[in-house]
Amino acid sequence: MTVRRDFEEPARCRPDLVIGREELFAGAREQLAGGGSVLLHGPAGIGKSTVLRALAADNAGATRTVLRCSATESESHLPFLALADLLGLVVDEVADRLPGAQRTALESALTGRGESTLQRDGLALRLAVLSVLRALATEGPVLVVADDLQWLDPASAELLGFAARRLGDTPVQLLCAVRTEGQEYDRHLRALPPDSLAVRLNPLSRTQVSALLDHRGYTGLPRSTVRDIHRTSAGNPLFALELGRALAEDPTPPRPGEPLHVPTSLRALVLNRLGMLSDEARRTLLVASAGARPTLALLHAAGRDNAESETAQAAALGLLATEPEGPAVRFAHPLISAALYAEAPAQERRAAHAALSTAASDPIERARHLALASSGTDPEVAARLAEAAAQARDRGAPSVAASMGLLAARHTPADSVPGADERRLQAATDAITAGEMDLARDIAHEVLTRATVPAERVRAWIVVIESAGHTLGDVDSVFPQALADAGEDPGLLALVHYQLAWRGLIVEGDFAEGREKAAHSAELAARAGDRRTELLALAFQAQTETLMGHPNAPATIKQALKEPQDPQVACHHNGPGLARFRWLQMSDQLAEARTTVTALLREVRRRGMVESEVHFLRLLAETELRSGHCGRALDLARESLRLARDSGIGEVASALLTSFAEAAGGDVDRALALAREAEEHAEGIGDQMYVSRALAALGHAQLVAGDTQGTVRSLRRVRELEHGLGITDPARGRWHGDLAEALVRIGELAEAQDVIDVTREQALRLGRESVLAVVDRAEALVRARRGEHEAALGQLTSVQDRLGKLGYGLEEARAAFALASLRTRRPGPTSYDEAARLFRRCRALPWLRQVEAAAVAPPPEPVAAPAPTLDALDGLASMERQVAALVMEGATNREIAARLFISVKTVEATLTRVYRKLGIRSRVDIVRLAAGRRTK
């Protein structure tokens, strides 16, 4: 294989590629694998060269000869330079196969001797390039890799295009990249074969920019900073990395409200036309760069009288984008605005902000400019900024409120009331609401370095705890310090005990402890008159009692919903509204649950409560999934997961719910991967509650995938974990039917019946009708395996009807599927049409594929019911064995009750369980067992 040495790429180029480019890479790779050619296009810095190199490296194993050129702007005037790069090292291998005229013309072009030109030697040169490529292809596939196609010298571009259009089935492929703006790439396709695939590289998302920065070692950046990098770079990988490098190297972060510092390398890249502006036009652009939403009217109000002509001048130079349909002044790229601001002297920046502090129409914007125009402390400026923060909070912009609050703290004099640290702590609370946990934690640690007031220290500790999310084990050392600072103050103790309730649940995995701490927190908060904390603690207590199946749950929910309510807590993802939703959902009131969570989602979006939005999106998806709206559930779950990963909040919960949704209506492999990811993360942070939920998702996905043994392993562990956690409400995880069904598949009928019996007892106590229907479905499968086909068919018919009336569409379809499967075991016609119709209505594609496969499969061989034996008695509980033994002796139910000191009803219930476990129908069969023993 002939490979240019400078083309050989290090293996490390590949990890950069997969960040945000997975789908387009897969499409381009498929095109190359099929023998086609690819043109990558997009703006400067978007990552074309990285993708180009990785695609070429990926395709190297299938290619004998790789030819490469990488043009530059400074050399684009030199004729045949790109052609020399491509063919210079390989032409000698095939020169003797070229006709004399072609060989002479090509040698002249490649060496520069003889002054070959396209005008003089055009046809011979064109045919020579085509002949070389064809000759190389006779030895094996050829890959031509051309980067920066826009700088190819015209002669080389013409020759390459001529050959490409005539290669036909010759195994020569082209992989090229070209810098374009918008979709203007058509003319570059002339250098490629007619069937080439054009792939546009789009900007990276915020999550992808964050991953790219982490990959390059710029870790630990606050999410608010990553957000600013993404906004300033507009998702351009090159710009984002340069901004990240500059921030990592600069010990002084930008002030709140200021644009990012822009490194000199990027300033030179984006401001090379700035010197062509007049001084006045440059000042006008500086004012525009300082404004949040600059318009011509705003520039006029800020004293820029010639804004129209000066912005027109900037637009002609490509610094501004034209906006023919509106008055907005928009920079061609956000980085231009940031670089222009960074380039200006501090005095000019303050002057621009001073002008905008009176010109801006929005009071929040005016306050921001006033702060950036001022230096030092000023109580009036601080008060205006604190008021602006409150306005932003009311508007549902907590991120803006946090920024304004930090500016207010910066300008607050030392002796002011409220003080600077109190304003910082409010900013930290706003940052948590906005999902900016890193910023909140940094603010809290700053306050703790100097605060001496107990209330401020406890509030700061609470911010540290809340910003840890589900990794509470990482902040275990904080709790003793917070309790010490709280002293005997009931209000401060209430705050700490509320967090201890979460610790009991997440770290210790003890629902009883969590409930106890929450109840104590509510009592302390009530004594202190802190209604907000009291409501949160009551809501936590209510949710814990609901999951535990505690009889006090309804009363606690009612208490948490009493007036007065705190508007912020009422819609909080840990507030009374959520407790009510969870009760409705677990009580099979799906329509009302959907209405409740939809209203909560709408309100938190209005308030900008990002963490709550993540949770309510997920819970709405869960409700839709229960209702059998699998397509809608999948869309909502994926949206929740995207937001969770973007904000770093609730990733485990969103991943496991998305796993359920994928298993129901999407990709089963994706469901398995998400469940394993959620389990690994939950195990890593020691969150036993989420470990059990992730394993439940994994077990369900394994059941859908046909991995029955895996399902049993996963769900047996869930059973153990939930027993240890103290969870007794089967409506919480709803894994019981899946476990029983999997146990039936592997022949563990006794264990399956035990799961059914225990779950039924719990569901009867709590009135969980849908759970009862699902375990009845599983019990019908047990009966069918024991040969009770008529009873099983009747039970499944009833189950399907009950689930349909309750609104559980997917479970109804599964009952129809089980019913059709049992009917195939009986003589006569059968049909899967009803199950297919129901799964299709739910958009449950993985289940629909199972139905379609079952419909064309041959009917299974009938399985004879195993005859009951005395060995089966070993699987009975102690009381059940005693009752069975007395029946064998011929005792009546009344006699058994008297001898065992139990009621007749208890004897009857015990016998019913014995019949099920032994696969028999009556006392006569037990007597037959005894007779069989006596004859042996």
Side-chain angles (χ1 to χ4, degrees):
M1 181 170 80
T2 304
V3 181
R4 288 279 307 272
R5 182 171 296 277
D6 61 356
F7 177 70
E8 294 175 358
E9 295 296 332
R12 63 181 176 80
C13 75
R14 186 61 188 274
D16 290 342
L17 163 77
V18 299
I19 299 172
R21 306 300 190 196
E22 295 86 349
E23 290 187 14
L24 70 85
F25 183 82
R29 180 170 55 186
E30 184 178 349
Q31 171 79 356
L32 291 170
S37 297
V38 173
L39 174 67
L40 306 170
H41 65 99
I46 203 68
K48 301 181 298 298
S49 296
T50 299
V51 177
L52 183 89
R53 289 194 297 267
L55 280 170
D58 189 79
N59 201 56
T63 306
R64 180 187 183 277
T65 304
V66 178
L67 310 174
R68 185 195 183 207
C69 68
S70 183
T72 63
E73 184 177 12
S74 61
E75 299 171 341
S76 61
H77 65 286
L78 299 174
F80 306 121
L81 183 62
L83 186 67
D85 286 341
L86 286 171
L87 304 182
L89 296 180
V90 298
V91 69
D92 290 343
E93 295 181 20
V94 296
D96 58 348
R97 296 187 234 173
L98 301 182
Q102 292 181 24
R103 183 170 59 250
T104 300
L106 184 59
E107 289 176 353
S108 178
L110 295 179
T111 62
R113 295 191 297 269
E115 297 183 357
S116 178
T117 66
L118 276 179
Q119 287 73 26
R120 193 182 70 184
D121 302 317
L123 182 58
L125 268 176
R126 289 176 173 86
L127 294 175
V129 173
L130 180 60
S131 297
V132 168
L133 293 175
R134 284 174 172 166
L136 290 171
T138 61
E139 304 297 328
V142 176
L143 179 65
V144 177
V145 181
D147 200 0
D148 283 317
L149 208 60
Q150 73 278 2
W151 302 133
L152 243 64
D153 62 274
S156 297
E158 167 61 26
L159 293 170
L160 188 60
F162 176 87
R165 291 189 294 273
R166 289 163 176 79
L167 286 169
D169 294 332
T170 306
V172 177
Q173 297 169 267
L174 275 71
L175 173 59
C176 304
V178 62
R179 181 187 302 179
T180 58
E181 296 297 334
Q183 298 292 329
E184 298 175 1
Y185 61 90
D186 291 353
R187 64 188 180 89
H188 298 288
L189 282 172
R190 290 180 297 183
L192 278 76
D195 60 346
S196 297
L197 173 69
V199 177
R200 178 170 177 79
L201 274 69
N202 291 314
L204 299 180
S205 68
R206 188 194 306 180
T207 304
Q208 291 162 351
V209 165
S210 178
L212 179 63
L213 291 168
D214 287 345
H215 172 71
R216 287 299 183 90
Y218 305 132
T219 56
L221 294 173
R223 291 188 180 274
S224 55
T225 301
V226 174
R227 179 196 61 203
D228 290 342
I229 291 174
H230 178 257
R231 183 180 62 243
T232 304
S233 68
N236 184 295
L238 172 64
F239 298 169
L241 287 171
E242 284 297 298
L243 289 168
R245 181 184 60 78
L247 283 166
E249 294 175 354
D250 190 346
T252 307
R255 296 169 61 189
E258 281 188 343
L260 293 176
H261 297 166
V262 179
T264 305
S265 59
L266 289 184
R267 294 187 204 179
L269 178 64
V270 300
L271 296 180
N272 54 359
R273 297 186 180 91
L274 194 62
M276 302 173 67
L277 285 174
S278 66
D279 290 341
E280 289 302 311
R282 182 168 179 157
R283 291 191 185 95
T284 295
L285 287 195
L286 175 60
V287 174
S289 71
R293 294 173 296 276
T295 63
L296 290 172
L298 178 65
L299 294 176
H300 279 298
R304 307 311 302 167
D305 296 335
N306 298 317
E308 285 87 352
S309 62
E310 289 160 356
T311 55
Q313 181 186 354
L317 293 171
L319 295 168
L320 294 179
T322 57
E323 293 283 354
E325 298 180 359
V329 175
R330 186 170 63 85
F331 285 88
H333 192 284
L335 191 62
I336 296 174
S337 173
L340 180 65
Y341 186 92
E343 189 81 0
Q347 184 176 355
E348 289 187 17
R349 292 203 296 262
R350 284 196 296 271
H353 286 297
L356 290 167
S357 68
T358 57
S361 59
D362 185 82
I364 297 175
E365 189 67 8
R366 286 200 301 270
R368 181 179 77 89
H369 289 302
L370 179 62
L372 295 175
S374 307
S375 58
T377 59
D378 185 323
E380 183 179 346
V381 172
R384 284 186 58 182
L385 286 163
E387 182 181 351
Q391 290 175 322
R393 200 174 303 119
D394 291 342
R395 290 183 188 179
S399 181
V400 176
S403 178
M404 294 295 102
L406 289 175
L407 284 171
R410 182 186 292 271
H411 289 279
T412 300
D415 56 350
S416 290
V417 178
D421 282 342
E422 186 172 348
R423 283 173 169 156
R424 287 188 181 93
L425 288 170
Q426 179 58 60
T429 301
D430 289 328
I432 288 177
T433 301
E436 298 178 8
M437 302 300 178
D438 295 338
L439 175 60
R441 183 167 50 249
D442 290 346
I443 295 170
H445 283 305
E446 181 187 355
V447 170
L448 286 166
T449 59
R450 56 175 175 269
T452 57
V453 179
E456 290 182 352
R457 290 189 61 80
V458 171
R459 283 183 62 194
W461 289 126
I462 297 302
V463 169
V464 172
I465 293 168
E466 288 189 345
S467 62
H470 279 263
T471 58
L472 284 179
D474 294 346
V475 293
D476 244 0
S477 61
V478 167
F479 289 98
Q481 299 176 73
L483 285 169
D485 283 331
E488 299 298 322
D489 187 315
L492 299 179
L493 286 171
L495 294 172
V496 181
H497 278 274
Y498 175 66
Q499 300 300 333
L500 282 169
W502 280 106
R503 184 190 177 279
L505 183 62
I506 292 173
V507 178
E508 300 297 333
D510 190 334
F511 272 64
E513 180 182 345
R515 174 181 178 270
E516 180 183 341
K517 294 291 185 185
H520 187 43
S521 173
E523 179 186 346
L524 289 167
R527 282 167 47 195
D530 181 358
R531 183 61 174 164
R532 181 182 188 279
T533 303
E534 182 187 8
L535 288 170
L536 285 169
L538 285 171
F540 181 95
Q541 181 183 345
Q543 285 201 72
T544 306
E545 289 173 349
T546 298
L547 296 175
M548 293 172 67
H550 196 285
N552 289 356
T556 307
I557 293 173
K558 186 175 180 180
Q559 187 181 358
L561 291 169
K562 282 183 179 178
E563 296 293 340
Q565 287 288 319
D566 182 305
Q568 189 87 0
V569 174
C571 64
H572 193 273
H573 61 277
N574 289 323
L578 176 67
R580 179 173 180 271
F581 159 79
R582 185 61 76 186
W583 176 263
L584 290 168
Q585 188 192 56
M586 294 176 68
S587 302
D588 300 323
Q589 301 176 61
L590 294 181
E592 194 170 350
R594 181 188 296 107
T595 301
T596 299
V597 74
T598 300
L600 290 168
L601 178 59
R602 186 185 307 115
E603 181 62 16
V604 298
R605 280 175 165 167
R606 187 185 71 80
R607 292 176 176 271
M609 299 166 67
V610 175
E611 184 172 8
S612 294
E613 181 180 357
V614 171
H615 286 283
F616 290 139
L617 269 172
R618 185 184 74 250
L619 295 173
L620 179 56
E622 185 179 332
T623 306
E624 297 293 1
L625 195 58
R626 297 263 182 270
S627 303
H629 304 151
C630 299
R632 170 74 171 149
L634 185 58
D635 290 342
L636 288 165
R638 286 172 174 173
E639 184 181 354
S640 173
L641 184 57
R642 282 194 298 269
L643 184 58
R645 287 179 169 167
D646 195 29
S647 62
I649 298 169
E651 293 181 71
V652 175
S654 292
L656 67 89
L657 192 277
T658 307
S659 172
F660 276 114
E662 292 282 0
D667 184 331
V668 180
D669 289 338
R670 175 76 171 148
L672 290 165
L674 284 168
R676 290 188 175 106
E677 172 191 326
E679 180 200 359
E680 181 180 354
H681 193 94
E683 292 274 18
I685 62 177
D687 188 337
Q688 294 304 295
M689 181 175 68
Y690 271 103
V691 170
S692 74
R693 294 181 67 181
L695 284 168
L698 178 59
H700 180 74
Q702 288 167 326
L703 184 72
V704 179
D707 179 8
T708 307
Q709 293 287 355
T711 300
V712 171
R713 283 194 303 272
S714 297
L715 297 185
R716 274 175 175 165
R717 189 172 171 215
V718 173
R719 194 181 189 192
E720 294 170 5
L721 286 169
E722 291 206 351
H723 178 75
L725 289 166
I727 297 172
T728 61
D729 192 335
R732 182 257 187 182
R734 297 177 181 269
W735 47 266
H736 314 75
D738 286 348
L739 175 56
E741 182 175 333
L743 288 166
V744 171
R745 291 185 186 181
I746 65 172
E748 296 287 348
L749 302 188
E751 185 181 350
Q753 189 64 58
D754 183 62
V755 170
I756 291 165
D757 291 341
V758 172
T759 306
R760 179 182 283 121
E761 181 181 351
Q762 295 168 338
L764 281 169
R765 178 173 60 85
L766 297 167
R768 304 302 192 222
E769 293 297 329
S770 62
V771 175
L772 287 169
V774 168
V775 296
D776 280 353
R777 184 182 68 207
E779 187 174 57
L781 300 179
V782 174
R783 287 183 167 183
R785 284 293 294 269
R786 287 174 172 165
E788 302 174 34
H789 289 290
E790 292 301 328
L793 290 169
Q795 191 168 16
L796 281 174
T797 302
S798 171
V799 165
Q800 182 182 341
D801 181 62
R802 288 155 57 196
L803 287 168
K805 289 177 179 176
L806 288 169
Y808 285 78
L810 183 58
E811 299 295 351
E812 177 192 5
R814 287 180 63 180
F817 187 19
L819 192 58
S821 300
L822 287 188
R823 284 174 176 156
T824 62
R825 300 175 185 272
R826 304 173 67 211
T830 186
S831 174
Y832 286 92
D833 290 349
E834 173 69 0
R837 181 186 69 81
L838 291 173
F839 281 130
R840 196 174 291 113
R841 184 183 68 183
C842 294
R843 289 182 59 191
L845 302 182
W847 287 103
L848 185 60
R849 285 191 285 271
Q850 288 192 36
V851 172
E852 291 169 348
V856 298
E861 293 293 329
V863 179
T869 66
L870 282 173
D871 294 338
L873 294 178
D874 296 337
L876 299 179
S878 174
M879 175 63 72
E880 294 166 349
R881 283 198 301 272
Q882 292 180 61
V883 170
L886 290 172
V887 169
M888 289 178 183
E889 293 176 8
T892 65
N893 287 359
R894 189 174 297 279
E895 289 170 342
I896 294 170
R899 291 175 64 176
L900 297 179
F901 303 100
I902 58 177
S903 68
V904 174
K905 286 188 176 181
T906 301
V907 173
E908 292 170 350
T910 304
L911 277 173
T912 300
R913 290 198 299 273
V914 169
Y915 298 156
R916 287 173 181 164
K917 290 185 177 182
L918 296 181
I920 59 180
R921 299 185 181 186
S922 67
R923 297 166 60 93
V924 174
D925 293 324
I926 296 180
V927 174
R928 286 173 179 165
L929 279 177
R933 179 179 60 183
R934 286 192 293 268
T935 58
K936 290 182 181 180

